Amino acid sequence: MNDRLPLRQVLTTALIDFLDEVKATHLPKFHQRLWRLRLHLLLRKSSHKTREVLNLAQAFFKSGQPHRAIELCQSLQGLENPELQIERQHILAEAYQSIGQWEAAIEAHQGAIDLAPNNPHLHHKLGQCYGQQEEWQKALDTYQTAIGLDPENPHLHYSLGIAYVKTGQWQAAIQTLLLAQRSLPHEAWISYFLGEAWLAIGDTESAIRLYRKTLRRSPWFLYLHICLIYAKHIRKQDQRLDEFCNLAKTQRSAKRRMLMIMPYPPYPPTTGGIVRMFNEIKAMSQTYDVTVVAFIFQKRGFWIEQPLSQYCQFSATVLMGDCPPKIANQPRLIHRYSSARMDRVLQKLSQVPFDFVLTDFIQMAQYHDRFPNAFHILGEHNIESELLRRSVQRQSETELQRLSSQNAAFQGFLGGLQEADLLAEYERSLWPKFPLRMVVSELDREILEQHCGIGKTIVVSNGVDTQTISPLPDNANKIVLFIGTLSYYPNIDGVQYFVEDILPLIWEQDPKVQFWIAGAEPPQMMLDLAQDKRIKVIANPADMTQVARQCCVTVVPLRIGSGTRIKILHGMALGLPIVTTSLGCEGIRVTDGRELWVRDRPQEFANATLELLKDRDRRQAFRQRGRELVEKQYDWAAIFAAAIDRFELEHPRNP
């Protein structure tokens, strides 16, 4: 090889770094001896050098160092041995996948296939890569190619069955997975996917029988126990639903009836839109007989039906994920919230003579036509297409893909500006079908009315429950707090902006300041920030008030968003002094320097934060004025009472 010296330098640097890392993590000494031997072998002038480099690259990948693996593989150019070329491409592909560089991973997989187009294993690997980035139709096509090369391979049929499940082709999934199960009877995960397909077509009894049979053979499969519990809950839910519908059809209600359709579980009310939806339910239940149907993201999430029952005549949760096949030009966000189970539940509820149907978020508007006789209200917490457009302009598609691989909630932000355009077109086609629409800010009302002249759009502000939230005592701890849902991309961008551009400026003047990040479902990139001991990530806090009690100042460094930020109102209700960007307090009636600081440049933001940490009198002034503002203008009870008055005005009761 002509590049022997550069290659040797790459290998030497990589091995020394690796050995330092082994030493730092106190792994057993035989690991160090093994890698020193490997270094000696690699640097020898032998015909086996290429093989050793590939072995080392694979080891780096397996030890969690994909960038080193990529560097080594890229140093091996012009290999003549086809088997070694294929292995190089395979290691490259897996390493790229692990860091979310999907285009490079697919290119590497395709490079291996070009070298051996009749190798079903390579097609299988490419299909798995497509599956990891939720490109299930491409995965399905690739698996079918692999089966064409090896039709008797049950593992290929297993993977194809999963792709059928993910693309909503339930009958094909059942047929294919049953075929795979005959050859792989001890593969318990086949029962999981087969059960998902049974549930999607409404055959709950078949799913229950399958789970029980598999658990007798594989009692160690704990998640399948959860699947069985959920399937039994679905059976009971269907019974309750039939009873409720039959009773509602025959009994006249003293109150008017309202159905509320929600894309997220509205309980427990911890952050953001969940807080709004929960307080919306509480307020509506004072005037109407309320029924709530909401998506959940985990099978165990159905427990929220019990606490919601104190406000609702009937509540039903639906597990998200049973999407039917995607329609051409359907926005990703809309497809993600399409559901066979949700459709069946709402079809049954269409027997109930609801007076109002209140739908939260545009992604749930797809179900509006199930209730042709009701008065429809759409609650837009954001203008989602605008939010998506701002997000993709701020962040690269590669970064969004990486986040999507860590948390499925980010899939709605994929697709770039083309996806934003599709979503905007969808919004404009659905908005006119709702005679009354609620937005949370005057700016959102202006945007919506520019594109929809039919019906009425009203501002129903975000708020806070000032009856249950009491102001905290002042705390002089040098702790700065960020509160927000950490699976929500605008919050992630805001945290990154603060950590990368503002926090270093704060630390230049006071290196002892700590930054706490508290919220639900942080992706790995958020958790990694805590590698600096002055940063603490508090995932899914049980009581946000107890976290806030230990902090001095809260920050809202948002650069992307729509609607208004509940975190601003929550912070003022708690009596926390606030530093925010202009966008962070957009739509809230605050004045810079009166209730909070508004700073858009990093140095100014850092200076304002430091000033609040030092100046107790300034903190006290902000605390008092902020609390007065939310008590007078942003109490949930008053906000939704005014909204109910408008509902009754737009759709009065028949005489």
Side-chain angles (χ1 to χ4, degrees):
M1 298 174 63
N2 296 326
D3 59 347
R4 180 174 297 169
L5 288 178
L7 175 59
R8 221 178 258 189
Q9 291 173 355
V10 169
L11 295 173
T12 303
T13 302
L15 262 296
I16 290 173
D17 287 353
F18 183 82
L19 291 170
D20 286 343
E21 194 163 317
V22 167
K23 185 176 180 180
T25 53
H26 306 288
L27 292 178
K29 289 186 177 180
F30 79 88
H31 282 185
Q32 295 184 39
R33 290 197 296 271
L34 172 64
W35 288 106
R36 288 193 183 102
L37 175 61
R38 181 77 72 184
L39 175 61
H40 175 70
L41 292 172
L42 285 166
L43 296 178
R44 286 178 59 191
K45 295 181 180 180
S46 74
S47 60
H48 300 292
K49 183 163 62 176
T50 298
R51 163 56 59 195
E52 295 295 339
V53 172
L54 288 173
N55 288 343
L56 181 58
Q58 179 75 346
F60 273 124
F61 168 68
K62 294 292 187 182
S63 65
Q65 300 183 77
H67 290 94
R68 288 294 193 193
I70 292 169
E71 184 179 7
L72 287 174
C73 288
Q74 288 177 337
S75 71
L76 294 173
Q77 300 291 338
L79 297 177
E80 296 181 359
N81 186 320
E83 291 185 3
L84 295 181
Q85 290 183 57
I86 291 172
E87 185 171 347
R88 172 186 177 273
Q89 294 298 121
H90 175 66
I91 297 170
L92 267 177
E94 289 195 319
Y96 280 129
Q97 282 178 228
S98 70
I99 58 176
Q101 294 190 20
W102 300 108
E103 291 184 7
I106 289 170
E107 182 179 351
H109 278 303
Q110 194 60 59
I113 290 173
D114 291 342
L115 293 166
N118 294 324
N119 186 328
H121 174 72
L122 299 180
H123 289 279
H124 191 200
K125 287 294 183 182
L126 176 58
Q128 290 174 326
C129 181
Y130 281 132
Q132 287 186 1
Q133 59 175 318
E134 300 295 322
E135 293 283 356
W136 286 107
Q137 187 57 52
K138 292 181 179 179
L140 192 152
D141 295 340
T142 306
Y143 292 145
Q144 288 177 329
T145 300
I147 288 174
L149 296 169
D150 187 4
E152 302 302 321
N153 188 328
H155 297 282
L156 299 180
H157 288 281
Y158 176 21
S159 294
L160 179 62
I162 295 173
Y164 278 133
V165 168
K166 296 295 186 177
T167 54
Q169 301 180 61
W170 316 116
Q171 295 294 349
I174 292 168
Q175 181 180 358
T176 305
L177 290 169
L178 286 173
L179 178 63
Q181 194 173 55
R182 283 197 288 270
S183 299
L184 301 170
H186 299 292
E187 179 52 72
W189 276 103
I190 294 179
S191 294
Y192 163 75
F193 288 106
L194 189 53
E196 294 290 285
W198 286 122
L199 290 176
I201 64 173
D203 192 345
T204 308
E205 295 303 323
S206 290
I208 290 174
R209 286 195 298 270
L210 173 66
Y211 295 149
R212 284 173 171 165
K213 179 180 178 181
T214 304
L215 287 171
R216 284 195 293 270
R217 185 174 62 242
S218 305
W220 50 265
F221 193 179
L222 299 182
Y223 188 64
L224 209 62
H225 286 279
I226 296 173
C227 293
L228 177 58
I229 292 170
Y230 177 73
K232 290 179 178 179
H233 169 74
I234 291 298
R235 180 170 62 186
K236 185 176 180 180
Q237 185 185 80
D238 283 336
Q239 294 169 353
R240 291 193 304 112
L241 184 58
D242 289 337
E243 292 170 1
F244 172 72
C245 292
N246 291 332
L247 189 63
K249 286 188 295 184
T250 58
Q251 288 190 353
R252 185 176 179 84
S253 174
K255 295 181 179 179
R256 304 179 82 184
R257 291 189 172 105
M258 173 178 281
L259 171 64
M260 305 178 75
I261 306 174
M262 298 177 167
Y264 315 125
Y267 191 88
T270 50
T271 58
I274 294 173
V275 172
R276 181 182 176 94
M277 291 188 296
F278 176 70
N279 282 280
E280 196 173 53
I281 291 170
K282 284 176 61 178
M284 297 303 145
S285 68
Q286 299 298 311
T287 302
Y288 305 114
D289 281 339
V290 169
T291 296
V292 172
V293 182
F295 275 120
I296 53 175
F297 306 130
Q298 297 177 334
K299 285 184 164 66
R300 290 170 289 184
F302 67 80
W303 68 272
I304 71 167
E305 292 177 5
Q306 194 279 326
L308 288 178
S309 65
Q310 63 181 303
Y311 308 105
C312 307
Q313 272 205 322
F314 182 83
S315 64
T317 55
V318 175
L319 182 67
M320 193 174 175
D322 59 337
C323 307
K326 191 173 182 293
I327 302 169
N329 294 324
Q330 184 183 36
R332 283 178 184 262
L333 180 67
I334 307 307
H335 179 249
R336 185 165 179 255
Y337 285 87
S338 61
S339 161
R341 173 72 186 172
M342 177 65 77
D343 195 55
R344 284 196 300 274
V345 169
L346 294 178
Q347 286 286 9
K348 284 189 176 182
L349 284 171
S350 67
Q351 305 171 58
V352 179
F354 290 108
D355 297 281
F356 297 93
V357 174
L358 173 53
T359 301
D360 274 291
F361 291 88
I362 189 65
Q363 56 263 42
M364 303 306 287
Q366 60 188 294
Y367 301 105
H368 82 284
D369 59 359
R370 278 51 166 189
F371 304 92
N373 298 320
F375 183 83
H376 285 271
I377 306 163
L378 176 64
E380 287 283 50
H381 296 220
N382 307 289
I383 306 299
E384 297 295 336
S385 61
E386 287 295 313
L387 180 59
L388 176 56
R389 192 179 308 279
R390 293 177 186 180
S391 298
V392 298
Q393 289 172 341
R394 172 66 62 182
Q395 191 61 272
S396 69
E397 179 74 4
T398 299
E399 180 65 13
L400 291 172
Q401 286 180 338
R402 185 166 74 90
L403 288 168
S404 177
S405 70
Q406 297 177 14
N407 190 311
F410 295 104
Q411 292 169 14
F413 289 96
L414 298 177
L417 295 177
Q418 180 182 3
E419 192 65 24
D421 290 340
L422 284 174
L423 187 54
E425 183 179 349
Y426 181 85
E427 288 170 335
R428 294 165 195 176
S429 70
L430 267 292
W431 282 336
K433 298 181 179 181
F434 291 82
L436 186 62
R437 299 169 295 271
M438 297 187 297
V439 294
V440 301
S441 72
E442 187 63 32
L443 178 60
D444 283 359
R445 186 189 67 80
E446 293 174 2
I447 293 172
L448 198 155
E449 288 191 337
Q450 286 176 5
H451 303 289
C452 182
I454 301 173
K456 297 178 181 179
T457 303
I458 61 173
V459 176
V460 180
S461 302
N462 278 324
V464 67
D465 188 348
T466 58
Q467 304 303 312
T468 60
I469 298 177
S470 300
L472 300 172
D474 180 62
N475 193 322
N477 290 340
K478 293 183 178 181
I479 301 175
V480 177
L481 175 65
F482 177 89
I483 296 173
T485 302
L486 299 177
S487 59
Y488 184 56
Y489 178 69
N491 286 340
I492 288 179
D493 176 76
V495 169
Q496 286 181 313
Y497 170 53
F498 188 82
V499 169
E500 294 173 4
D501 294 1
I502 299 171
L503 197 52
L505 301 175
I506 293 174
W507 283 340
E508 283 180 6
Q509 299 184 56
D510 191 342
K512 294 183 179 180
V513 173
Q514 297 181 44
F515 181 42
W516 288 12
I517 307 161
E521 301 180 0
Q524 187 60 46
M525 66 176 300
M526 286 286 99
L527 298 173
D528 290 344
L529 295 175
Q531 292 176 4
D532 188 309
K533 294 182 179 180
R534 294 171 293 183
I535 298 176
K536 184 176 182 180
V537 180
I538 305 168
N540 308 305
D543 187 346
M544 192 68 76
T545 300
Q546 294 306 315
V547 175
R549 186 182 299 276
Q550 304 173 66
C551 301
C552 181
V553 175
T554 185
V555 292
V556 186
L558 297 189
R559 302 183 294 181
I560 304 168
S562 178
T564 59
R565 259 51 66 189
I566 292 177
K567 57 176 65 67
I568 291 274
L569 303 173
H570 190 200
M572 289 193 291
L574 288 170
L576 284 172
I578 299 168
V579 186
T580 179
T581 57
S582 298
L583 191 141
C585 61
E586 184 179 78
I588 300 175
R589 293 181 287 275
V590 291
T591 302
D592 178 27
R594 177 174 173 79
E595 294 89 5
L596 43 65
W597 286 128
V598 181
R599 298 292 184 268
D600 288 318
R601 296 179 179 177
Q603 187 65 65
E604 294 174 354
F605 201 113
N607 292 341
T609 305
L610 285 164
E611 181 177 344
L612 283 177
L613 289 171
K614 298 173 184 176
D615 190 341
R616 185 180 183 279
D617 291 340
R618 172 67 70 176
R619 293 200 304 270
Q620 189 60 34
F622 280 3
R623 284 161 49 82
Q624 180 179 344
R625 295 169 189 158
R627 178 71 190 194
E628 289 175 355
L629 178 69
V630 296
E631 286 181 353
K632 291 178 180 179
Q633 300 187 38
Y634 290 100
D635 182 73
W636 281 125
I639 288 169
F640 284 124
I644 289 170
D645 289 343
R646 189 60 183 267
F647 298 169
E648 293 295 318
L649 178 65
E650 297 297 331
H651 185 57
R653 184 188 290 267
N654 291 329

